[in-house]
Amino acid sequence: MKTISLKTISEKGISLIKLSTAAILAMNMIGCTVEADYTDVADRNDVATFGDSIFDLNGVIQTELEASAGETFRDYTTSGAKMSGGSLAPAVDEQYASANAVNPDITTIVMNGGGNDILIPALTFDQYRCKTTWYRKNLSDKCKNLIHDIYVTGVNLLDQMDADGVESIVYLGYYELPRGKTNLNQAVNYGDLYLGDACEVGTTANCTFVDPRGTIPASDVESDDIHPTVNGSVTLAGQIWPVLEPLL
């Protein structure tokens, strides 16, 4: 019979505490919530937004775009959302399925996604080695493979949107992270490369990629080194709007 010593119990307890602490830290950093607060009815029910906390946490991108348009859009963005899967929040593909179930007449989409697929693991145990360090100066193959998988998932989702009759998609990429998160910027750059390719080359959908890199200074990023401030969100909305306006 296997015996378990007090030391083993203690070590397991410490590991559980570390795991719980890491998970709580990650949840706080990504601004996540397990509750989805969707807007199913709007002035323009054919226009919908999907994505993660870059859109959802302060809500300013949505309100800025609606103010520019002079009308409201359906909103399914959820903090903590991954591109697909995950237990913290409804993923982007789940958001889209929910919107379609309510009203499938969606012609124009504004979205982002894929960032949390990298960020959430990186903020816990970095099992994909997406952080660069003094001893690992370049992005690991495991992280590259993760991003390749996100690319495939993204293309499949965009293709499904196209097959469902969506006419136009505006896809917002990710900006570089400042201060304590600069060690994730190789992953950000590699991810944006593939997200841009998924949007404008890999999919059958009519998709335009908005690349915000180089436009969001550290002063426009919150102290968590991830989310945009109000000014940052206004800047992001200002980059989306010239692409979205002719589609409305």
Side-chain angles (χ1 to χ4, degrees), residues 16-40:
L16 181 60
I17 291 171
K18 287 182 177 179
L19 177 62
S20 299
T21 301
I24 291 169
L25 175 62
M27 291 170 69
N28 287 337
M29 293 299 288
I30 62 176
C32 76
T33 173
V34 295
E35 296 182 1
D37 185 18
Y38 294 156
T39 301
D40 287 322

Side-chain angles (χ1 to χ4, degrees), residues 42 59 82 120 124 128 145 148 172 180 215 240:
K82 298 174 71 174
I120 293 173
T124 51
Y128 297 104
N145 290 336
H148 297 165
L172 176 66
T215 67
I240 295 169

Side-chain angles (χ1 to χ4, degrees), residues 164-244:
D164 290 339
V166 175
E167 297 173 2
S168 301
I169 300 166
V170 183
Y171 201 116
L172 176 66
Y174 293 89
Y175 48 82
E176 301 95 336
L177 302 177
R179 298 177 294 263
K181 297 294 187 298
T182 56
N183 58 1
L184 281 168
N185 280 336
Q186 280 199 38
V188 170
N189 288 323
Y190 197 79
D192 271 337
L193 174 68
Y194 273 85
L195 288 175
D197 186 85
C199 173
E200 299 193 326
V201 179
T203 181
T204 58
N206 176 29
C207 182
T208 302
F209 186 70
V210 177
D211 188 348
R213 287 176 294 172
T215 67
I216 306 297
S219 58
D220 283 351
V221 180
E222 296 285 2
S223 60
D224 61 10
D225 302 339
I226 297 171
H227 297 100
T229 63
V230 169
N231 285 340
S233 294
V234 169
T235 297
L236 293 170
Q239 294 176 63
I240 295 169
W241 177 244
V243 181
L244 177 61

Side-chain angles (χ1 to χ4, degrees), residues 49-243:
T49 58
F50 305 98
D52 57 36
S53 56
I54 298 299
F55 271 84
D56 185 64
L57 191 60
N58 64 21
V60 172
I61 295 177
Q62 182 87 15
T63 56
E64 284 290 304
L65 293 176
E66 291 175 341
S68 296
E71 50 194 358
T72 58
F73 311 136
R74 293 163 67 187
D75 179 9
Y76 296 85
T77 60
T78 308
S79 294
K82 298 174 71 174
M83 183 78 81
S84 182
S87 59
L88 297 179
V92 177
D93 57 1
E94 295 178 61
Q95 297 168 16
Y96 176 66
S98 296
N100 242 2
V102 171
N103 183 348
D105 184 21
I106 303 172
T107 61
T108 304
I109 287 173
V110 182
M111 65 178 290
N112 79 332
N116 281 329
D117 301 68
I118 299 169
L119 185 63
I120 293 173
L123 290 180
T124 51
F125 300 104
D126 196 25
Q127 61 265 43
Y128 297 104
R129 303 295 184 262
C130 287
K131 293 178 182 178
T132 54
T133 66
W134 64 269
Y135 56 85
R136 188 178 62 249
K137 297 183 183 300
N138 296 311
L139 204 60
S140 72
D141 288 340
K142 289 185 72 172
C143 188
K144 289 179 180 179
N145 290 336
L146 171 64
I147 292 170
H148 297 165
D149 290 343
I150 298 168
Y151 166 86
V152 172
T153 302
V155 169
N156 289 338
L157 176 58
L158 294 171
D159 284 350
Q160 183 61 56
M161 291 172 172
D162 180 50
D164 290 339
V166 175
E167 297 173 2
S168 301
I169 300 166
V170 183
Y171 201 116
L172 176 66
Y174 293 89
Y175 48 82
E176 301 95 336
L177 302 177
R179 298 177 294 263
K181 297 294 187 298
T182 56
N183 58 1
L184 281 168
N185 280 336
Q186 280 199 38
V188 170
N189 288 323
Y190 197 79
D192 271 337
L193 174 68
Y194 273 85
L195 288 175
D197 186 85
C199 173
E200 299 193 326
V201 179
T203 181
T204 58
N206 176 29
C207 182
T208 302
F209 186 70
V210 177
D211 188 348
R213 287 176 294 172
T215 67
I216 306 297
S219 58
D220 283 351
V221 180
E222 296 285 2
S223 60
D224 61 10
D225 302 339
I226 297 171
H227 297 100
T229 63
V230 169
N231 285 340
S233 294
V234 169
T235 297
L236 293 170
Q239 294 176 63
I240 295 169
W241 177 244
V243 181

